[in-house]
Amino acid sequence: GQQLNQSPQSMFIQEGEDVSMNCTSSSIFNTWLWYKQEPGEGPVLLIALYKAGELTSNGRLTAQFGITRKDSFLNISASIPSDVGIYFCAGQLAGNQFYFGTGTSLTVIP
Amino acid sequence: GAGVSQSPSNKVTEKGKDVELRCDPISGHTALYWYRQSLGQGLEFLIYFQGNSAPDKSGLPSDRFSAERTGGSVSTLTIQRTQQEDSAVYLCASSLGRVSRETQYFGPGTRLLVL
């Protein structure tokens, strides 16, 4: 299947710091998605990106769809303890084909 | 309900036994996905249902895995003769089934442990 390389694998940051994570792929995707998963829960959609170059914000979260359509990044500004969780990127090819990254585990130290 | 529900939330079974995992999608969603999430890994696609079309089974890891979706709503994932490597979180997601700008909504998952 398609390979999405997500980095970093884990992050330990102080409360208030900004966070950046990214995904790259060898394939071109039509859509990039960013999810957050908390313990014992399923992933929850944070941001969806549909066009190359698109930059979208959701509160303190900002994500961009790379110009080449092979990458995307997610930034979290001024992190707070409730940002803790695992963040996944996902790329969508045609129709039902979604491919997920291996996740970035975020720990925020108060 | 308002979201995707899955049952059981946890399942412990012995190697060689069969298990059934259930997913109730969001009402009106025609698309339904099953994924497997192993510890520290991303989501691995298993199977996809869209309306009355034949399901996309391309992600099922072996013939011990099968899934049904009855009446276009509830889905059951069955694992026969479970093995220890089947231990994982099994996630179900549903979506409206549109061609583009599709958003998947995930259930909380079933945590399967095969002893």
Side-chain angles (χ1 to χ4, degrees), chain A residues 29-34 45-57 62-66 71-74 90-92, chain B residues 101:
Chain A
F29 287 108
N30 294 326
T31 300
W32 279 96
L33 307 163
W34 285 93
L45 182 66
L46 299 174
I47 292 180
L49 303 158
Y50 301 108
K51 293 189 336 184
E54 180 179 353
L55 184 71
T56 297
S57 292
T62 302
Q64 184 158 31
F65 192 143
D71 64 312
S72 177
F73 72 75
L74 174 71
Q92 181 187 13
Chain B
R101 303 214 169 191

Side-chain angles (χ1 to χ4, degrees), chain A residues 11-17 19 78-85 106-110:
Chain A
M11 302 182 74
F12 293 81
I13 62 168
Q14 294 285 340
E15 182 176 359
E17 289 185 358
V19 171
S79 59
I80 59 178
S82 61
D83 290 334
V84 164
L106 177 63
T107 301
V108 179
I109 304 167

Side-chain angles (χ1 to χ4, degrees), chain B residues 16 51 66 77 90-91 108:
Chain B
S66 62
L77 176 69
Y90 289 83
L91 290 162

Side-chain angles (χ1 to χ4, degrees), chain B:
Chain B
V4 178
S5 60
Q6 292 186 245
S7 62
S9 53
N10 295 281
K11 177 71 176 179
V12 180
T13 190
E14 293 178 349
K15 177 181 172 181
K17 295 282 181 68
D18 298 351
V19 295
E20 285 190 352
L21 312 179
R22 177 187 168 107
C23 172
D24 283 87
I26 293 173
S27 178
H29 281 193
T30 62
L32 187 147
Y33 306 75
W34 282 98
Y35 293 91
R36 178 168 68 178
Q37 184 177 28
S38 300
L39 188 63
Q41 299 296 316
L43 278 66
E44 174 191 4
F45 167 76
L46 297 177
I47 189 169
Y48 162 72
F49 295 90
Q50 172 58 60
N52 296 320
S53 301
D56 177 355
K57 304 180 182 180
S58 60
L60 295 178
S62 78
D63 58 7
R64 296 186 296 104
F65 288 73
S66 62
E68 291 184 341
R69 189 178 186 192
T70 55
S73 181
V74 172
S75 177
T76 301
L77 176 69
T78 301
I79 309 173
Q80 296 178 309
R81 305 180 302 281
T82 52
Q83 303 294 314
Q84 289 181 331
E85 60 263 28
D86 298 335
S87 297
V89 176
Y90 289 83
L91 290 162
C92 174
S94 71
S95 65
L96 283 170
R98 296 174 301 191
V99 174
S100 62
R101 303 214 169 191
E102 192 71 317
T103 299
Q104 295 179 71
Y105 296 88
F106 283 86
T110 293
R111 281 143 195 82
L112 175 65
L113 177 61
V114 182
L115 300 176

